[in-house]
Amino acid sequence: MAILSDKDIKKYLKEGKISIDPLENFEKQIQPSSVDLRIGDEFKGFKIIKKPFIDPKDPEDLDSYMDSMHIEEGESFIIHPNEFALATTYETVKIPDNLVARVEGRSSMGRLGITMHVTAGYIDPGFEGKITLEISNIGKMPVALYPGQRACQIVFETMTSNAEKPYGHPERDSKYMGQTRPESSRIKQDYELRKI
């Protein structure tokens, strides 16, 4: 596997092999081997509840644990220490069948104690939609997050060949294809949990 350089990212974007929409500041957002993505204006955070645990098999349980909120332009979402929230990128991305992508946090955010993904930084070939950000504050101070601020970066890697069944393929369980907002976990749709 090889990581695309800024030159190749620009080429793939121009040829329509990769789509990042809107890419409003081409020169500022494209880095030497990645593209900076911005945070969207919708967030999901966990409610304080009295239930003893989250049951991933309960079809009505997962969404009941989270509140959605829309942040107006110029306003901020405050993430407190030890809090976890979901958001999406402002941009919609489309990955071809012969590339994979990874979302990494920006070092400027990391230096504030903010992580942009807990485990789901990997984007399958064929994915199309906004990328869910799993944001945590591991620092000691609350941090303001502003919609439209550059929060993470996407890195593209070539594969040895096109995927036979890319994300979104009819035979694949692509639970988050085409997402446009932060989505709660859809783990209840996993085949092994449906059998239990």
Side-chain angles (χ1 to χ4, degrees), residues 19 92 177 194:
S19 174
T92 299
M177 184 67 151
R194 288 192 306 238

Side-chain angles (χ1 to χ4, degrees), residues 105 109-110 113-118 134-138:
M109 299 301 290
I114 303 300
T115 64
M116 283 296 141
H117 67 85
V118 177
E134 302 164 334
I135 305 168
S136 292
N137 182 346
I138 60 172

Side-chain angles (χ1 to χ4, degrees), residues 70-117:
H70 177 82
I71 307 298
E72 298 296 329
E73 187 175 337
E75 298 293 319
S76 64
F77 175 83
I78 308 297
I79 187 158
H80 294 270
N82 299 313
E83 271 190 344
F84 173 82
L86 296 176
T88 62
T89 55
Y90 181 76
E91 295 83 3
T92 299
V93 301
K94 185 174 181 182
I95 312 294
D97 295 352
N98 64 341
L99 291 181
V100 296
R102 284 184 286 120
V103 172
E104 301 289 348
R106 291 184 64 228
S107 65
S108 294
M109 299 301 290
R111 292 166 201 233
L112 298 175
I114 303 300
T115 64
M116 283 296 141
H117 67 85

Side-chain angles (χ1 to χ4, degrees), residues 43-73:
F43 292 80
K44 273 191 167 190
F46 279 101
K47 299 175 187 177
I48 296 174
I49 57 169
K50 295 182 179 180
K51 292 185 178 183
F53 60 88
I54 294 174
D55 185 351
K57 292 188 321 177
D58 186 340
E60 296 176 11
D61 216 21
L62 296 175
D63 282 330
S64 71
Y65 291 113
M66 301 193 94
D67 279 327
S68 294
M69 57 206 81
H70 177 82
I71 307 298
E72 298 296 329
E73 187 175 337

Side-chain angles (χ1 to χ4, degrees), residues 1-184:
M1 294 178 100
I3 294 174
L4 295 189
S5 67
D6 53 358
K7 179 180 177 181
D8 287 326
I9 291 169
K10 290 174 185 176
K11 178 182 172 204
Y12 276 56
L13 285 166
K14 186 176 180 181
E15 294 173 354
K17 293 178 180 175
I18 295 172
S19 174
I20 301 174
D21 185 48
L23 188 57
E24 291 179 357
N25 196 326
F26 201 77
E27 292 304 316
K28 294 275 189 202
Q29 284 182 258
I30 296 180
Q31 301 299 321
S33 61
S34 65
V35 179
D36 285 345
L37 299 179
R38 296 165 293 162
I39 199 164
D41 60 5
E42 228 177 306
F43 292 80
K44 273 191 167 190
F46 279 101
K47 299 175 187 177
I48 296 174
I49 57 169
K50 295 182 179 180
K51 292 185 178 183
F53 60 88
I54 294 174
D55 185 351
K57 292 188 321 177
D58 186 340
E60 296 176 11
D61 216 21
L62 296 175
D63 282 330
S64 71
Y65 291 113
M66 301 193 94
D67 279 327
S68 294
M69 57 206 81
H70 177 82
I71 307 298
E72 298 296 329
E73 187 175 337
E75 298 293 319
S76 64
F77 175 83
I78 308 297
I79 187 158
H80 294 270
N82 299 313
E83 271 190 344
F84 173 82
L86 296 176
T88 62
T89 55
Y90 181 76
E91 295 83 3
T92 299
V93 301
K94 185 174 181 182
I95 312 294
D97 295 352
N98 64 341
L99 291 181
V100 296
R102 284 184 286 120
V103 172
E104 301 289 348
R106 291 184 64 228
S107 65
S108 294
M109 299 301 290
R111 292 166 201 233
L112 298 175
I114 303 300
T115 64
M116 283 296 141
H117 67 85
V118 177
T119 62
Y122 185 83
I123 305 161
D124 282 309
F127 174 82
E128 183 175 354
K130 292 181 184 268
I131 299 167
T132 297
L133 302 174
E134 302 164 334
I135 305 168
S136 292
N137 182 346
I138 60 172
K140 296 202 178 280
M141 294 291 291
V143 177
L145 303 175
Y146 292 89
Q149 125 184 53
R150 290 181 299 140
C152 61
Q153 55 192 323
I154 187 169
V155 177
F156 301 96
E157 296 182 64
T158 59
M159 296 180 9
T160 55
S161 63
N162 285 19
E164 285 183 357
K165 294 179 184 175
Y167 201 80
H169 187 278
E171 294 179 30
R172 186 161 299 290
D173 186 17
S174 304
K175 299 185 286 266
Y176 305 105
M177 184 67 151
Q179 66 187 9
T180 59
R181 57 183 0 152
E183 298 289 346
S184 299

